[in-house]
Amino acid sequence: TQPLPVLHLKGTAAQRGEAAGVLMAETIATFADKVFDDYVVALVQSVDLHGLPDWLATLIKQAVGKKVAVPVLTDALKWVSQKQDGHVHDAHDKSTQIFDEIAGIAKGVCDTLGADACQSRLGGQQAFTDRIKIVNYLPELIRMSCSMVGATKTATTHGSLVQLRSLDFGAVPFSNYGMMVVHHQEAKEGERPDAFAMVSFPGFVGAVTGLNSAGLVQSEKVSYNARSAGYNQTCIKPGGVDIYGCVPGTYDGEGVPFVIRRFLETAPTKAAAEDIIHDAKRTWHVYLGLGDSTTQEFDVVGY
């Protein structure tokens, strides 16, 4: 088995980010390198070209070998970032302050490694801040492909909720770099939960799954069968017509990991989380599972 690091972070978003950077400096720096080194070809080859501009889709198709794939992945992540930055700022600058957290992570890493190593390995603190930011858009670029189960009441032998979530990432760098990050909100606003926890990866501020102290638990499932979700558009793919239809979506919105992060951090109830999901500027269709540990109820929301 592989150990799972667990971080407990306190303070403002910037302070929590800086603490994470100090505690995981070498891991965060190494992970950022591996995204653009060991796994870059596999990551580029996994990108669904639907929704990308023609020039970028052409570059991705031609990205054979690491030398070509590295700048292509960088261009693709920058493009997604440019499409979503405005939406993410609008949704998070007054709620989670994740961009302050990203800057804090870069500061913590560079302060710990030292100025010379920060400059030689990471290009300096500002360059590393920019790199962490675009890497946070990677789950949107490769489209999360995961599974979930929610069973409760008559579906379980004990009548209580059983909720599972698998992270189907395969060989990409995520599989070896999982971690649990617990954020303690000392200066919380309104009815925010006291704390929330996310299964995460080094340098990531978005969430792929998590829970909060109010009893909200989140899962996610990829949307393969668009027709089953009520979307009947025919999808032409390289191998012919996709009988399951085209999963609808766009890159012009708030990416799913940022929406998940927002309701885990701010929603005191399942209903409040569903309101955030409903009002978000949606990107790609997925299914979000929301469990309530108090009522033992489980909802699946088509996002």
Side-chain angles (χ1 to χ4, degrees), residues 91-107:
H92 290 263
D93 283 357
K94 294 183 179 179
S95 59
T96 68
Q97 292 89 44
I98 58 172
F99 289 101
D100 291 344
E101 187 177 331
I102 289 172
I105 291 171
K107 182 179 186 304

Side-chain angles (χ1 to χ4, degrees), residues 14 21 25 77 79 139 154 166 170 186 224 229-230 254 280 288 296:
L77 289 171
W79 182 83
T154 59
S166 67
E186 296 179 331
Y224 280 130
E254 182 188 1
L288 296 174
Q296 298 294 294

Side-chain angles (χ1 to χ4, degrees), residues 41-244:
V41 174
L43 287 171
V44 170
Q45 291 174 345
S46 71
V47 174
D48 188 331
L49 303 181
H50 179 59
L52 295 175
D54 291 341
W55 66 268
L56 184 53
T58 299
L59 286 177
I60 290 172
K61 284 190 238 181
Q62 297 173 346
V64 179
K66 184 190 297 185
K67 186 174 181 180
V68 179
V70 170
V72 169
L73 180 63
T74 301
D75 287 344
L77 289 171
K78 285 181 177 178
W79 182 83
V80 176
S81 172
Q82 289 166 1
K83 296 291 287 185
Q84 297 193 7
D85 267 359
H87 300 289
V88 179
H89 272 291
D90 287 345
H92 290 263
D93 283 357
K94 294 183 179 179
S95 59
T96 68
Q97 292 89 44
I98 58 172
F99 289 101
D100 291 344
E101 187 177 331
I102 289 172
I105 291 171
K107 182 179 186 304
V109 170
C110 285
D111 286 352
T112 302
L113 296 182
D116 290 344
C118 177
Q119 186 63 47
S120 61
R121 286 185 58 185
L122 309 174
Q125 185 173 318
Q126 185 55 56
F128 193 52
T129 300
D130 294 339
R131 172 168 280 205
I132 292 173
K133 188 186 81 168
I134 66 169
V135 170
N136 268 274
Y137 288 99
L138 190 56
E140 273 290 286
L141 179 65
I142 63 175
R143 316 261 186 91
M144 292 189 293
S145 299
C146 303
S147 306
M148 68 179 178
V149 173
T152 189
K153 299 180 180 177
T154 59
T156 63
T157 57
H158 44 65
S160 299
L161 175 63
V162 174
Q163 186 171 343
L164 304 176
R165 162 81 152 97
S166 67
L167 301 174
D168 308 336
F169 284 124
V172 295
F174 300 103
S175 56
N176 296 323
Y177 282 88
M179 56 194 299
M180 176 71 76
V181 182
V182 184
H183 291 258
H184 299 270
Q185 306 195 79
E186 296 179 331
K188 63 177 185 172
E189 299 175 5
E191 297 181 343
R192 284 188 179 206
D194 293 323
F196 65 99
M198 309 185 301
V199 174
S200 189
F201 308 96
F204 272 74
V205 298
V208 293
T209 197
L211 66 159
N212 68 29
S213 58
L216 179 68
V217 184
Q218 176 267 329
S219 303
E220 182 266 346
K221 180 192 179 301
V222 65
S223 177
Y224 280 130
N225 193 334
R227 297 195 190 284
S228 71
Y231 300 99
N232 295 313
Q233 178 184 355
T234 298
C235 186
I236 306 299
K237 293 190 174 180
V241 176
D242 183 352
I243 62 172
Y244 295 114

Side-chain angles (χ1 to χ4, degrees), residues 152-153 159 161 215 270 291-298:
T152 189
K153 299 180 180 177
L161 175 63
K270 181 160 59 67
D292 186 323
S293 63
T294 301
T295 66
Q296 298 294 294
E297 295 178 341
F298 180 80

Side-chain angles (χ1 to χ4, degrees), residues 35 53 182 303:
V35 166
V182 184
Y303 171 76

